[in-house]
Amino acid sequence: MTTVTGLTQERRLVTAIPGPKSIEAIKRRTEATSQGLGMAIPVVIERASDAILLDIDGNQIIDLGSGIGVVNVGNAASRVVDRVIEQVQAFTHTCFTVAPYMGYIEVCEKLNALTPGTHKKKSILVNSGAEAVENAVKIARHYTKRAAIVVFEHSYHGRTNLTMALTAKNMPYKEGFGPFAPEIYRVPMPYSFHWVGDQATITADALEMVISKIEKEIGAHNVAAILIEPIQGEGGFIVPPKGFMPALATYAADNGIVFIADEVQTGFARTGRMFAVEDENLVPDMIITAKGIAGGLPLAGVTGRAEIMDSVHVSGLGGTFGGNPIACAAALGAIETIEAEALVARAAHIGTVLGQSLRALQKKYPIIGEVRGRGAMQAIELVEAGSKLPNTAAMNAVVKYCQSKGVLILTAGTYSNVIRFLPPLVITDELLHDAMGVLEEAFASL
Ligand SMILES: *Cc1c(COP(=O)(O)O)cnc(C)c1O
């Protein structure tokens, strides 16, 4: 049924990047859109499939960003496309809280079944990661009748007023956008590369600081929720040391605090598990999903213990577009793709391939301070050689070089010195190796 013709999975440049058509189109972009919107690569996309983006000048670019970890199942995945076409012809909207439809119910059933834990779960669907975070906080506060939310250094949770408050980094996310929502408390995040000691020491130190802050500065009985990204995304793919999150979850349970995992970037097979918390057999009270959930359509979910999710009065939750039927159809297609194409295992394999290439590169180029991540969520932190001082100039130069050769990579990091790799999980080994070859050329060119 799909009418999409796939692109050959190869990098191919027919003009400079950006080409003449993109340059013209970007002029119109500048005229028509707010400069407040950033742009990772100045080319305009005409079509995409699997791990290749085709621009309007005819260049084929390797996609190592997946639209920020969204098209985990590949660009224009056939099961997503087919289900979307079928749904758009059936109906496009009723509003789930006006008249329900099966797609929404089925996505929630899937979320309840796929997320960790055997307890009874319930879900809601909304439009974006930020809206899901907002709802998770809303529900946790309603359930606990407490106000305080504990968040971490280097965290990113979105761009709405509440989620800006939850986010750590000022520039560009918060600068000039205050005042921010109250009752948000930021605690240290164990960032192994910049902390002193072995993993066990760092874990113990971090737990001591976090719990002391909660008890002395907030009062545990005032805390509604602890909100954490199992691997921090925009913060620079910071992986907490083993044991940190499980100990926090235990502390939360002991103190009537809702433990919320923001799996917006880590979820849906990205890290070589369906959800990143599975790596430590962690069972959060609530789990927030978005990005990779629907193969590129806007959808997000909040899944949690039934007693928490059901604590809200009727019509206390909702929204006009949340869980749109087309987005739900796309999510069912994406989840089916993850299962049918064994993309959880595929993400782990990508992690091995990327990890090997990046560590080999680190041996040659001491400005690569650390290689870290899990599965198809890998990053390198760039430093001034022989120190841990951020090397933003090198990051920018490497990204620019890769773009000029047709490889799209994204940046991240509190200190703006991290290059992150988030390829679609269907990327071929050939394309990965080709992209890593370009990355190596980029370092050689510095
Ligand atoms: C992207 C992201 C969000 C916000 O999602 P949007 O869909 O952009 O609103 C929240 N949390 C994390 C961890 C993210 O990576």
Side-chain angles (χ1 to χ4, degrees):
M1 167 172 170
T2 174
T3 51
V4 174
T5 27
L7 299 165
T8 55
Q9 294 297 297
E10 62 183 12
R11 179 168 62 97
R12 197 179 66 224
L13 298 188
V14 296
T15 71
I17 300 282
K21 289 183 182 164
S22 278
I23 290 173
E24 279 309 306
I26 298 299
K27 281 187 195 150
R28 286 173 59 185
R29 179 196 198 267
T30 306
E31 279 304 306
T33 68
S34 164
Q35 71 150 9
L37 301 166
M39 175 167 57
I41 186 169
V43 300
V44 173
I45 302 304
E46 180 172 291
R47 178 179 279 272
S49 75
D50 295 345
I52 290 290
L53 307 174
L54 173 70
D55 76 11
I56 55 178
D57 288 287
N59 298 299
Q60 294 203 165
I61 295 163
I62 302 179
D63 179 9
L64 293 188
S66 302
I68 320 187
V70 169
V71 288
N72 295 4
V73 295
N75 287 282
S78 62
R79 291 179 186 83
V80 173
V81 172
D82 288 350
R83 282 182 181 257
V84 163
I85 291 172
E86 203 179 319
Q87 180 59 47
V88 83
Q89 288 170 337
F91 64 96
T92 56
H93 176 81
T94 63
C95 185
F96 188 72
T97 56
V98 172
Y101 38 89
M102 285 316 295
Y104 191 117
I105 299 167
E106 285 169 14
V107 171
C108 291
E109 287 171 349
K110 280 282 181 193
L111 284 171
N112 298 342
L114 290 170
T115 50
T118 52
H119 54 279
K120 172 82 177 153
K121 285 173 249 167
K122 293 200 175 184
S123 295
I124 63 163
L125 301 177
V126 292
N127 298 293
S128 69
E131 196 187 351
V133 173
E134 293 254 1
N135 275 279
V137 168
K138 211 169 121 169
I139 297 166
R141 282 177 169 161
H142 196 273
Y143 173 71
T144 57
K145 300 183 173 61
R146 304 173 178 181
I149 306 294
V150 170
V151 291
F152 293 81
E153 290 172 351
H154 311 289
S155 64
Y156 179 86
H157 298 288
R159 291 174 180 271
T160 59
N161 186 264
L162 175 63
T163 58
M164 280 192 291
L166 298 166
T167 292
K169 192 176 178 179
N170 179 54
M171 195 64 184
Y173 307 124
K174 302 167 79 163
E175 173 67 25
F177 295 134
F180 301 110
E183 287 302 314
I184 310 294
Y185 298 88
R186 195 169 309 286
V187 296
M189 177 73 180
Y191 187 166
S192 300
F193 181 60
H194 290 284
W195 284 34
V196 180
D198 59 19
Q199 296 285 295
T201 312
I202 290 173
T203 303
D205 288 353
L207 280 170
E208 207 276 318
M209 281 187 261
V210 169
I211 291 170
S212 160
K213 265 187 158 306
I214 290 175
E215 306 217 317
K216 303 292 175 240
E217 298 176 20
I218 319 168
H221 63 283
N222 293 316
V223 178
I226 296 174
L227 171 64
I228 191 167
E229 297 159 85
I231 297 176
Q232 292 182 314
E234 305 306 299
F237 288 15
I238 301 163
V239 186
K242 291 254 184 276
F244 178 67
M245 281 194 299
L248 272 184
T250 303
Y251 176 80
D254 290 346
N255 289 278
I257 299 168
V258 179
F259 187 85
I260 308 176
D262 179 346
E263 290 247 15
V264 169
Q265 197 156 155
T266 50
F268 288 98
R270 175 53 59 190
T271 66
R273 305 271 189 178
M274 191 56 119
F275 296 100
V277 288
E278 292 169 35
D279 191 65
E280 293 188 88
N281 296 317
L282 187 61
V283 178
D285 299 311
M286 290 173 109
I287 185 159
I288 301 167
T289 51
K291 293 194 164 90
I293 192 176
L297 274 85
L299 188 72
V302 181
T303 302
R305 293 186 183 278
E307 66 271 24
I308 300 176
M309 300 300 288
D310 276 341
S311 71
V312 180
H313 48 273
V314 173
S315 292
L317 304 173
T320 307
F321 288 124
N324 169 272
I326 302 168
C328 287
L332 294 171
I335 293 165
E336 193 187 326
T337 307
I338 291 171
E339 288 167 348
E341 299 189 14
L343 293 184
V344 171
R346 182 71 202 155
H349 168 79
I350 290 170
T352 307
V353 173
L354 277 180
Q356 278 167 359
S357 300
L358 296 174
R359 275 189 296 275
L361 212 54
Q362 185 187 24
K363 289 211 175 73
K364 285 174 77 172
Y365 298 100
I367 63 168
I368 301 179
E370 190 178 49
V371 178
R372 59 175 178 255
R374 270 208 313 269
M377 185 170 183
Q378 298 282 333
I380 51 179
E381 178 160 349
L382 302 187
V383 294
E384 303 289 348
S387 80
K388 290 187 176 179
L389 295 172
N391 193 339
T392 305
M395 176 191 78
N396 287 332
V398 167
V399 167
K400 211 159 180 242
Y401 182 94
C402 289
Q403 284 188 1
S404 75
K405 299 291 177 185
V407 178
L408 172 56
I409 52 178
L410 302 177
T411 59
T414 297
Y415 311 113
S416 304
N417 65 332
V418 173
I419 295 174
R420 57 173 154 171
F421 303 92
L422 287 168
L425 307 179
V426 295
I427 193 170
T428 62
D429 281 10
E430 291 69 32
L431 271 189
L432 265 185
H433 288 303
D434 183 28
M436 288 299 110
V438 171
L439 184 71
E440 167 133 35
E441 280 171 31
F443 276 94
S445 79
L446 288 177

